[in-house]
Amino acid sequence: MFTGIVQSIATLNHISDQGGIRTFIIDFQPGFCDGLEIGASVAVDGVCLTVTELISEVQVKFDVMLQSLLITTLSEYEPGTTVNVERAARDGAEIGGHPLSGHVDFKTPILAVQQIEDNYCLRLKLTDTWKRYVFPKGYIALNGASLTLSAVNKQEGWFEVWLIPETRRMTVFEQKAVGDHINVEIERGTQVVVDTVRDTLEENLGALLPAFEKLLAQQGMDIDTLGQNMKALGTPKSQ
């Protein structure tokens, strides 16, 4: 598990392919690898990778399977690319963002970048497949960073996040441009609740479900928003 708080920026030193496996040699900042062991997990731009070799105190080797390459940005990178990195969370670690699995759901392009003084906004494409789980003020993980959704337009197919100066300093987001792809991991709690509510309504309402959806639409809602609202009601105020 990861916390969604990016700990450092690292650089891809070498990339090679053999037998359907892509191998990355990554250069980390001094101290990041202290205590790191073979078999340990590191999130690289949000993708959970396993250490296969410790080359030096700052250089580590990882192997990436074809499936991870197909759905993430790791297939697009070249030597010299910088990435967000986070070590796996230890037991009892403070979750400064929200819990992440390191299993990226999809990658999506940046549609627009806006900067207002020290604030930095990214607008990204939202596909139909995943839009049911994305809501304003909800959590989302972009390249391994836990962020809060500031705005969502499901009709036009986009969502936005704002980055504070500290996030910009600790991550690679300012190096990204319109058209670049970003790894996205959906917040699992929201996904579970939305799917459960939808499945329950389909099971119990059957043929009446379209009429119920029409009633919700008249109130400016849909089934997925209903599920998100139920999740929010079940969240303790202290969180």
Side-chain angles (χ1 to χ4, degrees):
M1 186 186 77
F2 303 93
T3 69
I5 302 300
V6 174
Q7 296 171 327
S8 181
I9 293 174
T11 303
L12 302 185
N13 178 289
H14 181 77
I15 302 173
S16 60
D17 294 291
Q18 185 174 1
I21 298 294
R22 177 161 295 184
T23 297
F24 290 91
I25 296 177
I26 301 180
D27 293 340
F28 295 93
Q29 295 182 9
F32 181 87
C33 299
D34 290 352
L36 192 66
E37 299 178 350
I38 293 177
S41 296
V42 177
V44 177
D45 267 357
V47 185
C48 179
L49 299 182
T50 301
V51 175
T52 57
E53 183 180 345
L54 300 170
I55 299 174
S56 72
E57 293 182 352
V58 295
Q59 198 171 76
V60 180
K61 181 183 291 187
F62 303 87
D63 290 334
V64 185
M65 296 185 300
L66 179 61
Q67 181 62 22
S68 295
L69 294 175
L70 290 175
I71 66 172
T72 73
T73 58
L74 296 184
S75 61
E76 305 171 4
Y77 293 164
E78 299 178 350
T81 300
T82 54
V83 291
N84 297 332
V85 290
E86 181 192 351
R87 296 273 297 269
R90 298 181 179 179
D91 290 341
E94 179 181 352
I95 306 298
H98 72 279
L100 306 181
S101 67
H103 298 156
V104 169
D105 293 301
F106 64 102
K107 61 182 177 182
T108 195
I110 297 174
L111 299 178
V113 178
Q114 180 183 17
Q115 184 168 359
I116 301 177
E117 296 183 346
D118 289 334
N119 298 290
Y120 200 79
C121 178
L122 297 178
R123 175 176 290 188
L124 300 104
K125 183 178 180 179
L126 178 60
T127 63
D128 289 342
T129 303
W130 297 100
K131 68 181 182 180
R132 67 175 58 178
Y133 309 117
V134 180
F135 301 91
K137 310 306 179 185
Y139 284 124
I140 200 165
L142 303 181
N143 278 12
S146 172
L147 298 169
T148 301
L149 290 148
S150 59
V152 178
N153 190 316
K154 297 185 179 183
Q155 288 70 39
E156 296 182 4
W158 57 260
F159 65 92
E160 290 181 341
V161 295
W162 286 84
L163 309 178
I164 62 174
E166 178 63 14
T167 301
R168 293 162 57 192
R169 183 183 70 84
M170 289 295 296
T171 66
V172 299
F173 288 121
E174 282 201 15
Q175 302 174 25
K176 303 299 182 182
V178 172
D180 288 346
H181 286 96
I182 299 293
N183 293 324
V184 181
E185 180 180 331
I186 297 296
E187 200 273 311
R188 296 297 173 226
T190 298
Q191 184 176 9
V192 169
V193 171
V194 167
D195 286 346
T196 299
V197 169
R198 175 174 286 274
D199 290 345
T200 300
L201 289 174
E202 288 178 349
E203 180 180 347
N204 287 277
L205 293 181
L208 296 177
L209 183 59
F212 181 66
E213 290 182 306
K214 184 177 180 180
L215 179 62
L216 287 175
Q218 293 173 355
Q219 304 299 317
M221 297 180 62
D222 57 25
I223 289 177
D224 303 323
T225 303
L226 180 65
Q228 170 65 7
N229 290 343
M230 292 179 65
K231 177 178 182 291
L233 290 172
T235 302
K237 293 183 179 179
S238 61
Q239 296 181 0

